[in-house]
Amino acid sequence: MNKRKVGRTFSRKRDVRKAFLRDLSRSMVLHGRIQTTDARARELRRIVERLVTHAKKETLASRRYLVAALGKDVAKKFIDETEKKFSTRNGGYTRIIKQESRKSDGAKLAIIEFV
């Protein structure tokens, strides 16, 4: 049974999955939008929304959280960009746009981007 378990596993072990999602979130922060599968986009939304909330706080603890999650250079860029963009917004920082299925394996594709 899968009770009380949150999040997708993507058929990966914990450490590999954490690294995979960290790389996806770094790409999302650097480029502003990425194209990926629908399941990955939905899982990435949870992570990126939390990162934006931490970036808006602008405390030392939240800055350290972002550096641990994204890296020093990406976190600095993200904090500077976030305070201008999302200062008045209370959640809903990302949008997922559904795309056509991939021809090779039929996976449902989606574009995830900042609002």
Side-chain angles (χ1 to χ4, degrees), residues 48-58 62 78 82 93:
V48 172
E49 298 266 341
R50 287 181 191 156
L51 293 176
V52 172
T53 304
H54 276 285
K56 282 174 58 176
K57 288 181 188 174
E58 296 182 17
S62 62
F78 187 52
T82 303
Y93 310 112

Side-chain angles (χ1 to χ4, degrees), residues 40-53:
R40 289 177 182 180
R42 288 172 185 266
E43 193 65 25
L44 182 61
R45 172 187 269 176
R46 294 176 58 232
I47 295 167
V48 172
E49 298 266 341
R50 287 181 191 156
L51 293 176
V52 172
T53 304

Side-chain angles (χ1 to χ4, degrees), residues 26-43:
R26 280 180 59 103
S27 296
M28 171 82 180
V29 167
L30 285 174
H31 302 292
R33 70 185 289 176
I34 57 172
Q35 181 178 4
T36 184
T37 62
D38 188 39
R40 289 177 182 180
R42 288 172 185 266
E43 193 65 25

